Amino acid sequence: MKKFSIFTVGVTFLSLILGNLVVATDSGDACGTSWPFCNGKVIPDLTDFHILVEYSHRLFIPLLTVVTLINAAGAIYFYRKNRAVLAFAVLSLLLLVIQSLIGGFNVLLGTPPGFTTLDVTFSQLLLLNNVLLSYSLHEKTVSLDKKHAGTVKMSYRAFLLGFLFYVAQVIFGAFFKHSRASNVMMDIGAEEYLIRSETLADALFSIHWVATVVILVSAIWFIFYASKFRYHVFLSWLYFLTILLNGAVGLVIVVTGNVILASSIHMILSTLTMMVGGAILGGYWFKLHQRTMRA
């Protein structure tokens, strides 16, 4: 189950990447409302780029569903006495059901402005949950010297603060895009708007960047302490670099007018950051020797 849980994380990650590409390329309506088929066909016109992107995502969802079900069922059967495993396994099933329902309604309603934010939110939470479930299944722990206990706690508190801001920022950023506030701010036309006020759009964008500063500062703080007690050094740098690159790509989007390539890279980096952040949390909760931590 341990190796299969890692495979599940990979499938979830790829599923989110495909979903991100659907949003970034505005391909959500390419297959119409005839889910799970595409425009009523099992084999649609795959020469159309938007149809290819949307239908690839639709075909990948059944694989994600099956893999998640097997992963959760196996975790519950073999590790049901472990409360953490049981909680994350059940939660993965719940998130899968909610995300599937939201995705279905999104298709049937014709991807109304703002609604896709819910899809992004629960997809990201499913990825984070599956990463934590994978870590909870691994029993090997890393013992730290007692003198490092305080440093460990302090560094992870700083990380957790920034990561909570990051999760909120992902949801907030998705709403900024899907509500068409980004179109308003950059004077780009759209068929449907949830937010039309340029003042409100500018305010939302400012909040988004303030959160980015908080996240970067906490990431730098975490790098300092992670390096000090030599645990999660690589992940701390990877977490920081993905956030930094995400900010840079965000600036490119503003300057270039939200081009497809930049927007796709932005979403892929966001998903990667979520996965890395989950790995850091999982390592802290399930791999560090807890008796040493409380010493």
Side-chain angles (χ1 to χ4, degrees), residues 18-204:
L18 286 173
N20 289 338
L21 289 175
V22 170
V23 175
T25 58
D26 289 325
S27 301
D29 296 327
C31 286
T33 58
S34 57
W35 188 89
F37 303 116
C38 186
N39 296 321
K41 299 178 180 179
V42 177
I43 303 178
D45 179 15
L46 298 179
T47 59
D48 186 310
F49 172 74
H50 294 290
I51 289 179
L52 178 62
V53 172
E54 167 62 6
Y55 202 43
S56 296
H57 180 242
R58 288 193 183 189
L59 292 178
F60 206 83
I61 293 302
L63 174 62
L64 172 64
T65 301
V66 172
V67 168
T68 302
L69 288 174
I70 294 174
N71 189 52
I76 293 173
Y77 181 79
F78 292 108
Y79 298 89
R80 55 185 174 274
K81 293 183 179 180
N82 187 317
R83 292 183 180 180
V85 172
L86 184 62
F88 284 122
V90 172
L91 187 56
S92 69
L93 295 176
L94 179 61
L95 289 172
L96 179 65
V97 171
I98 294 175
Q99 197 274 333
S100 298
L101 289 174
I102 291 174
F105 279 117
N106 202 25
V107 171
L108 294 175
L109 295 174
T111 59
F115 193 84
T116 307
T117 303
L118 292 174
D119 197 354
V120 172
T121 298
F122 283 95
S123 296
Q124 295 283 347
L125 291 178
L126 178 61
L127 174 63
L128 177 60
N129 182 82
N130 284 346
V131 171
L132 293 176
L133 173 58
S134 179
Y135 268 89
S136 69
L137 292 170
H138 289 75
E139 300 171 351
K140 291 183 178 180
T141 59
V142 177
S143 297
L144 295 172
D145 194 293
K146 291 183 179 180
K147 66 180 180 181
H148 289 153
T151 306
V152 171
K153 291 180 181 179
M154 184 180 295
S155 65
Y156 277 100
R157 283 172 184 169
F159 167 77
L160 184 58
L161 174 64
F163 189 61
L164 289 175
F165 264 86
Y166 177 75
V167 173
Q169 187 199 45
V170 169
I171 299 171
F172 192 82
F175 177 75
F176 181 75
K177 175 178 174 57
H178 303 146
S179 65
R180 307 296 190 265
S182 58
N183 294 64
V184 173
M185 193 190 76
M186 292 183 284
D187 296 321
I188 300 175
E191 294 181 3
E192 296 180 275
Y193 292 90
L194 187 60
I195 292 178
R196 291 180 175 274
S197 171
E198 186 174 349
T199 301
L200 180 57
D202 290 338
L204 292 175

